[in-house]
Amino acid sequence: MSIQTNLDDSGIYVARIYSITPMPVTRDKRYVDICARVDSSNVKVGKAKNFLARRKNYWADFDQENVHFQPIAKLDDIQKAETAILRHLKQYRLRSPKGGLMDWLTGIDIESVIRESYIALDQAGIEYERC
């Protein structure tokens, strides 16, 4: 059963940008030339201590009108939850220019990411409330 999400809650979210032109994942001038780039074909799954604050971070990096940000699970142990989900979705994770696995995914649509995230949380025995 879905619950009403308070944006001050912590939990797991998905995000994607609407741009078809690849964009750097940060606007930080120190990293913008060397960081990964994503577009509308990519989905991000991540943790947030506060959904509202995390959404504002995406607005700062990609502009408000260019971001779809959606809380999907309200829970307290966000680190354990994110780890379980990212392990479950490992085959879809992008590699950064330096070779590390990222939280951005490719080759999977946002609806599938949400569905698979719930499966990962259930398999890990993590209590959560759907948003």
Side-chain angles (χ1 to χ4, degrees):
M1 170 180 275
S2 293
I3 60 164
Q4 183 66 25
T5 304
N6 179 341
L7 289 178
D8 289 328
D9 289 335
S10 64
I12 300 296
Y13 67 88
V14 292
R16 76 175 183 84
I17 61 171
Y18 297 119
S19 175
I20 58 172
T21 303
M23 297 179 66
V25 296
T26 183
R27 287 193 174 159
D28 186 323
K29 292 182 188 324
R30 297 172 295 172
Y31 306 109
V32 76
D33 291 333
I34 59 171
C35 71
R37 286 173 165 51
V38 295
D39 60 33
S40 60
S41 69
N42 303 115
V43 179
K44 167 80 186 279
V45 62
K47 65 183 182 291
K49 290 181 183 177
N50 176 291
F51 289 127
L52 182 61
R54 191 68 184 111
R55 184 179 69 181
K56 286 180 181 178
N57 294 146
Y58 280 93
W59 289 355
D61 284 333
F62 298 108
D63 298 324
Q64 181 175 345
E65 67 280 357
N66 193 36
V67 175
H68 172 81
F69 180 91
Q70 179 181 346
I72 63 168
K74 178 184 167 186
L75 53 92
D76 293 324
D77 194 345
I78 58 176
Q79 184 61 53
K80 183 177 179 182
E82 182 187 48
T83 298
I85 291 167
L86 291 175
R87 282 185 182 149
H88 184 76
L89 295 170
K90 184 178 180 181
Q91 66 181 334
Y92 301 104
R93 292 175 69 185
L94 284 174
R95 289 220 173 254
S96 73
K98 292 184 176 184
L101 287 174
M102 298 176 61
D103 300 349
W104 284 93
L105 310 171
T106 189
I108 187 169
D109 62 72
I110 197 166
E111 294 82 12
S112 297
V113 171
I114 294 168
R115 183 178 61 251
E116 292 299 320
S117 294
Y118 292 144
I119 289 169
L121 292 172
D122 291 340
Q123 288 176 345
I126 297 170
E127 290 187 27
Y128 64 96
E129 295 179 69
R130 288 185 183 207
C131 299

